[in-house]
Amino acid sequence: MKRALITGITGQDGSYLAELLLEKGYEVHGIIRRSSSFNTDRIDHLYKDPHYKDARLFLHYGDLSDSTGLNRTLRQIKPAEIYHLGAQSHVRVSFDIPEYTGDVTGLGTIRLLDAILDTGIETRFYQASSSEMFGKVLEVPQKETTPFYPRSPYGCAKVYAYWITVNYREGYNLHASNGILFNHESPRRGETFVTRKITRALARILTGKQSELFLGNLDAKRDWGYAKDYVEAMWMMLQTPKGDDYVIATGETHSIKDFLDLSFGLVDRDWADYVKIDPKYYRPTEVDLLIGDPSKAKSQLGWKPKCSFSELVRLMVTEDLKLEGLDPEKWIKK
């Protein structure tokens, strides 16, 4: 039985990745931060769902700012694969807490890589890199060789994490890979991220609990995919003979207005009747266009996205309607 460790296991990607690995027969360990409130709702079903009755899932308290704790955890678990997903991952928030973002998102990666060297364990390492590293894009579409031009503290921290992963791969012969994932969404997306903010607000508008939705730049364009598809690419990277770097994307771009059109259109509403622009949601430096070229992942890993943009929007709207007690069959147009 293979043993895997996931940082950020309670997040969107971590929960889907845990499901995937458990279904493949792994023993899965996850690092979670201590909190005074419950923060494991995305993975609680793994203990209750009969489908996972024989699953081996273990959680460990830890923090990416604590190198001693990370070192101890690796010595205890000795994972064959490490999936490093944990970070301060909200781009807009990174402008408010830049030092913390740099410490956790950037230096957290070096703490893990150094722990691998210190413990001497034989493992394969996955680093969750981000399309935000491309920022003010210098090439369209963006691929593995496109220069980085980050436009946020988050993007800058991810660039550091990317290059230190490459450095340790080349310097210490580690099996270490960067997955440069473009935006990926799901019904488990955090509610402060724009896609989930839209679908949650839509459901609440239909129930009368909310009357307005405040957003920032509606013209920003992103390459949006389905998180469940993207975690499969993470696993594929660690099954290769050598570590490498891969862009994971759909190759399509859509604006926030497009997302609004599709989501509100599903329930026959005009988003313009509800959406208000609030300058506080603008970033000091904006990323206007992201679109990835996943050719390398397709040819070398055999990976490709399965869920289309329209299917993703429908899935998210459906689940958020259910969350508000609404029957999607009655509300969503065929």
Side-chain angles (χ1 to χ4, degrees):
M1 181 181 289
K2 270 190 179 180
R3 188 176 297 148
L5 173 66
I6 304 173
T7 70
I9 193 172
T10 59
Q12 169 189 250
D13 294 5
S15 65
Y16 283 120
L17 179 60
E19 287 180 353
L20 176 70
L21 296 178
L22 290 172
E23 287 168 1
K24 290 182 178 296
Y26 281 65
E27 177 179 299
V28 177
H29 295 256
I31 294 177
I32 63 171
R33 286 175 295 171
R34 175 72 179 92
S35 173
S36 59
S37 57
F38 292 112
N39 60 354
T40 59
D41 55 296
R42 291 187 180 96
I43 56 174
D44 285 343
H45 68 284
L46 296 174
Y47 295 102
K48 304 171 185 175
D49 189 335
H51 180 69
Y52 299 99
K53 63 182 176 65
D54 297 321
R56 293 177 58 80
L57 174 64
F58 305 92
L59 301 180
H60 309 262
Y61 287 119
D63 196 289
L64 291 170
S65 64
D66 177 16
S67 56
T68 303
L70 292 174
N71 196 301
R72 184 187 307 115
T73 300
L74 292 199
R75 288 185 189 281
Q76 291 174 348
I77 299 171
K78 297 181 176 61
E81 296 173 2
I82 298 173
Y83 296 87
H84 179 35
L85 314 183
Q88 191 301 101
S89 59
H90 199 286
V91 178
R92 178 63 190 85
V93 171
S94 76
F95 287 98
D96 300 324
I97 48 173
E99 181 183 345
Y100 175 79
T101 300
D103 184 31
V104 173
T105 305
L107 294 180
T109 305
I110 193 70
R111 293 185 184 109
L112 265 176
L113 288 167
D114 241 16
I116 293 172
L117 295 185
D118 287 346
T119 57
I121 62 172
E122 288 291 326
T123 191
R124 297 185 174 192
F125 181 81
Y126 170 83
Q127 160 61 20
S129 292
S130 169
S131 59
E132 288 288 333
M133 299 188 304
F134 295 120
K136 188 176 181 180
V137 299
L138 301 177
E139 182 179 27
V140 179
Q142 295 87 56
K143 49 184 180 287
E144 291 81 5
T145 55
T146 302
F148 299 138
Y149 195 144
R151 300 270 282 173
S152 66
Y154 170 78
C156 292
K158 282 292 186 181
V159 168
Y160 175 84
Y162 171 93
W163 280 117
I164 203 64
T165 299
V166 172
N167 187 263
Y168 270 54
R169 178 174 71 217
E170 296 176 350
Y172 301 104
N173 198 31
L174 294 181
H175 191 299
S177 295
N178 282 291
I180 308 174
L181 272 59
F182 281 63
N183 293 66
H184 45 289
E185 319 298 314
S186 76
R188 298 181 193 174
R189 189 58 144 152
E191 294 181 23
T192 58
F193 290 85
V194 67
T195 53
R196 187 76 196 289
K197 186 176 179 181
I198 290 170
T199 58
R200 283 290 286 129
L202 174 57
R204 291 175 65 83
I205 286 169
L206 295 179
T207 60
K209 295 178 182 177
Q210 189 170 331
S211 59
E212 295 176 319
L213 170 60
F214 293 94
L215 298 173
N217 180 15
L218 303 186
D219 295 316
K221 293 182 177 179
R222 295 292 184 269
D223 185 327
W224 276 304
Y226 182 29
K228 196 169 184 177
D229 290 345
Y230 284 38
V231 300
E232 188 174 9
M234 299 176 188
W235 175 79
M236 288 178 169
M237 289 178 211
L238 296 201
Q239 312 316 306
T240 59
K242 287 186 175 182
D244 205 345
D245 310 314
Y246 301 90
V247 164
I248 304 300
T250 68
E252 299 179 8
T253 190
H254 301 274
S255 69
I256 294 173
K257 283 182 180 176
D258 293 336
F259 198 99
L260 286 165
D261 282 336
L262 266 177
S263 54
F264 276 75
L266 284 171
V267 294
D268 202 24
R269 296 291 190 278
D270 184 350
W271 61 263
D273 294 335
Y274 307 96
V275 172
K276 304 287 190 261
I277 302 300
D278 188 335
K280 78 177 182 182
Y281 293 115
Y282 281 93
R283 304 178 186 178
T285 46
E286 183 58 84
V287 174
D288 297 314
L289 168 67
L290 291 174
I291 177 171
D293 178 1
S295 299
K296 181 178 177 181
K298 288 182 179 179
S299 63
Q300 295 190 17
L301 300 178
W303 177 87
K304 63 180 180 179
K306 300 169 187 172
C307 182
S308 70
F309 177 65
S310 59
E311 290 169 339
L312 173 63
V313 175
R314 179 179 286 268
L315 173 63
M316 293 179 68
V317 170
T318 297
E319 292 304 311
D320 276 330
L321 290 182
K322 291 179 182 177
L323 199 60
E324 289 296 326
L326 300 174
D327 183 357
E329 292 290 325
K330 295 180 180 178
W331 285 95
I332 295 179
K333 295 191 302 183
K334 303 297 183 186

